[in-house]
Amino acid sequence: MIRAIRVFVVETLQTRCVVVGGGPAGIMAGYLFARAGVPVVVLEKHADFFRDFRGDTIHPSTLQLMYELGLLDEFLKQPHQELRELRAIVNGQSVPVADFTKLPTRCKFIAFMPQWDFLNFLSSHAKRLPAFQLQMETEVIDLLIEGSRVVGVRAKTPNGDLEIRGDLVIGADGRHSTVHTRAGFQLREFGVPIDVLWMRISRKQSDPKQTFGFFQQGKLFVLLDRDDYWQAGFVIPKGRFDEIKARGLSQFQNDIVSFAGFLRDRVSELDDWSKIKLLTVQINRLRNWCREGLLCIGDSAHAMSPAGGVGINLAIQDAVATANLLADKLRNGPVSVDDLSKVQMRREWPTRLIQGMQVFIHRRVVTGATSGSKSSLPFVVRLLKWFPVLRQIPARLIGIGPRPEHFHSASAG
Ligand SMILES: Cc1cc2nc3c(=O)[nH]c(=O)nc-3n(C[C@H](O)[C@H](O)[C@H](O)COP(=O)(O)OP(=O)(O)OC[C@H]3O[C@@H](n4cnc5c(N)ncnc54)[C@H](O)[C@@H]3O)c2cc1C
């Protein structure tokens, strides 16, 4: 009897820092480490950045970083929209929510830009740096652990398995993180009572401008302007998608029209439930963001809900703090757990604060309204309308966030 013996040869790469995930946190961390002269490999499981579910907001604090990095002028040449004031449509009335014009930042606006354009822009600059490598279609499936230390990752590629070893692995692989699961990190979940139905509806040049969202008696509808179409997000109570389906597509189309009447002539584009994706929303946080050889940042360390549109900003701020705190040491070799935990110590309280705010928004603003209250404007919204100065508070929270990070040129070697 002849037995076939298959020998698997696993290719191995060696670098200083392995970043898992090419989202805002991963690409920014990779760029900053490479800029500081730390050899870095970023691994992204998809073949491109064209993911629909990503948010589109580039915050004033991120634009400030682009300025500090010398990339702002070129960045602003990419197609985008600038929103100096964010308005929401609450029970049919347009109300101002946030005024960015008084922020102490170079750009006093939120730039709306499809996230793939942002990631393509940043990664194209990163690729000019000799220390930077981006491997697309490379999905991390496991961690390599020796003793108690994480020494690299194992990944699947179209050409077979790959091992990438490094002094530090950074988990930036988002809210369904393989890295934090494989590391055995404990996760604390904060119940989120909503999910989002995500879909595209074509856009006309005559349509109203980008807003913060349409709030109406317990329901929220968000439209992101992507030039020739709207990326629409319909917020529903968690677990109710089947009920909505049972009511039928035409009822769902009517619901959309009740928020945004200008879509009446186009909602029929949603002629099949396959065009409507269910996105489950989570808010959670790791107890420990690190162990020997491994650090999680961004949604991998703390999944954010879309509320307030702040998750991208927080992910980028984590990346900047990571590079500021670790680049110098990592250039010369491994970093200790104490060094890694400094990142958690620095970023945990801003995260707690923002997540607390998101939980509050879900309980009081989104689901609070599900009670069916028909009051014309909630009290907080009325305050924002009456006292313009108060609009600087949401502007600061959304546009900059607590503890904004700045690029330390010293860590650039
Ligand atoms: C419906 C929805 C809308 C949102 N809208 C906004 C918004 O408008 N503004 C805002 O600020 N925030 C928004 N958020 C939150 C925001 O998307 C996240 O907080 C932010 O994307 C986190 O960035 P990140 O880089 O940590 O993770 P992600 O953006 O999730 O990036 C993770 C990357 O890792 C890759 N990856 C995953 N697993 C692996 C693996 N095993 N191997 C290799 N690669 C892997 C993924 O493909 C992805 O590219 C929204 C969230 C949701 C759910």
Side-chain angles (χ1 to χ4, degrees):
M1 191 173 83
I2 302 169
R3 274 197 296 168
I5 300 173
R6 295 177 69 192
V7 178
F8 293 95
V9 179
V10 178
E11 195 192 334
T12 304
L13 276 182
Q14 181 74 46
T15 185
R16 185 73 78 186
C17 179
V18 185
V19 177
V20 184
I27 295 291
M28 182 57 92
Y31 173 71
L32 293 174
F33 274 125
R35 205 170 146 136
V38 178
V40 58
V41 179
V42 180
L43 308 172
E44 167 55 47
K45 70 176 174 184
H46 291 107
D48 53 45
F49 295 123
F50 292 93
R51 301 278 80 73
D52 247 0
F53 64 84
R54 300 184 194 274
D56 289 3
T57 49
I58 310 295
H59 303 252
S61 53
T62 304
L63 294 166
Q64 186 70 23
L65 277 165
M66 299 304 257
Y67 171 69
E68 291 167 10
L69 292 164
L71 301 176
L72 184 65
D73 289 346
E74 196 184 333
F75 182 69
L76 291 178
K77 287 186 188 139
Q78 315 299 308
H80 69 280
Q81 287 181 63
E82 297 177 3
L83 255 84
R84 286 172 169 74
E85 183 193 61
L86 214 48
R87 299 183 80 85
I89 313 293
V90 183
N91 295 338
Q93 294 187 47
S94 173
V95 284
V97 173
D99 172 7
F100 300 108
T101 58
K102 309 278 185 314
L103 288 181
T105 46
R106 190 154 182 99
C107 296
K108 297 174 193 307
F109 54 82
I110 284 200
F112 275 80
M113 178 187 286
Q115 199 180 110
W116 49 82
D117 286 343
F118 172 66
L119 294 174
N120 277 325
F121 176 85
L122 200 56
S123 58
S124 70
H125 277 272
K127 282 177 195 162
R128 295 177 199 168
L129 302 165
F132 182 86
Q133 201 183 326
L134 173 62
Q135 294 232 163
M136 303 301 283
E137 286 187 275
T138 305
E139 179 177 0
V140 168
I141 48 173
D142 211 349
L143 296 175
L144 304 175
I145 300 176
E146 288 175 2
S148 59
R149 186 177 183 85
V150 175
V151 294
V153 297
R154 191 179 179 102
K156 251 184 357 191
T157 80
N159 306 319
D161 281 9
L162 180 65
E163 281 188 4
I164 305 107
R165 290 174 167 261
D167 290 323
L168 176 64
V169 173
I170 295 184
D173 51 342
R175 59 191 196 277
H176 304 295
S177 171
T178 303
V179 171
H180 77 214
T181 308
R182 293 287 170 180
F185 285 151
Q186 265 188 15
L187 198 60
R188 185 169 169 212
E189 287 285 350
F190 304 90
V192 179
I194 60 156
D195 285 329
V196 179
L197 301 182
W198 205 237
M199 67 218 101
R200 290 179 178 202
I201 303 171
S202 61
R203 185 178 164 274
K204 292 183 179 167
Q205 289 309 321
S206 55
D207 284 350
K209 284 203 169 112
Q210 177 77 58
T211 67
F212 193 48
F214 298 76
F215 295 82
Q216 194 172 281
Q217 293 163 33
K219 293 179 187 148
L220 167 60
F221 183 56
V222 177
L223 289 173
L224 296 176
D225 178 351
R226 289 192 178 155
D227 198 25
D228 56 342
Y229 70 93
W230 290 106
Q231 178 63 59
F234 194 97
V235 177
I236 60 166
K238 202 172 244 339
R240 296 270 183 84
F241 190 31
D242 284 342
E243 221 174 273
I244 289 170
K245 275 187 181 168
R247 285 166 59 225
L249 256 180
S250 59
Q251 183 57 50
F252 182 63
Q253 292 169 356
N254 288 341
D255 283 348
I256 291 178
V257 172
S258 73
F259 281 101
F262 61 93
L263 295 176
R264 185 182 304 278
D265 58 347
R266 282 160 272 166
V267 277
S268 57
E269 292 168 10
L270 301 169
D271 54 4
D272 194 291
W273 287 109
S274 64
K275 294 185 178 170
I276 300 158
K277 295 191 194 93
L278 173 70
L279 297 182
T280 52
V281 177
Q282 290 168 280
I283 300 181
N284 60 40
R285 194 166 62 237
L286 296 180
R287 282 187 202 283
N288 292 311
W289 299 15
C290 60
R291 55 180 276 183
E292 253 191 288
L294 174 69
L295 170 71
C296 287
I297 61 171
D299 268 23
S300 170
H302 46 74
M304 308 300 291
S305 104
V310 287
I312 297 168
N313 194 36
L314 211 61
I316 287 175
Q317 302 287 316
D318 282 3
V320 177
T322 303
N324 283 344
L325 287 163
L326 303 178
D328 266 348
K329 288 192 176 163
L330 195 57
R331 207 181 298 120
N332 302 313
V335 285
S336 67
V337 179
D338 280 352
D339 289 326
L340 297 178
S341 55
K342 283 184 188 143
V343 177
Q344 176 172 358
M345 277 191 277
R346 184 160 178 90
R347 298 303 310 159
E348 190 165 11
W349 78 252
T351 307
R352 279 172 181 256
L353 194 76
I354 294 285
Q355 287 187 323
M357 189 183 88
Q358 293 194 322
V359 169
F360 175 84
I361 290 175
H362 290 311
R363 293 202 184 132
R364 301 288 163 86
V365 182
V366 181
T367 40
T370 23
S371 59
S373 146
K374 289 202 166 90
S375 75
S376 56
L377 288 181
F379 183 62
V380 176
V381 178
R382 268 182 276 164
L383 280 180
L384 290 171
K385 198 173 173 187
W386 292 332
F387 303 106
V389 71
L390 293 181
R391 293 173 213 156
Q392 290 173 37
I393 301 170
R396 185 135 197 146
L397 278 171
I398 297 169
I400 301 181
R403 185 174 261 175
E405 304 289 346
H406 295 277
F407 169 60
H408 289 182
S409 53
S411 61

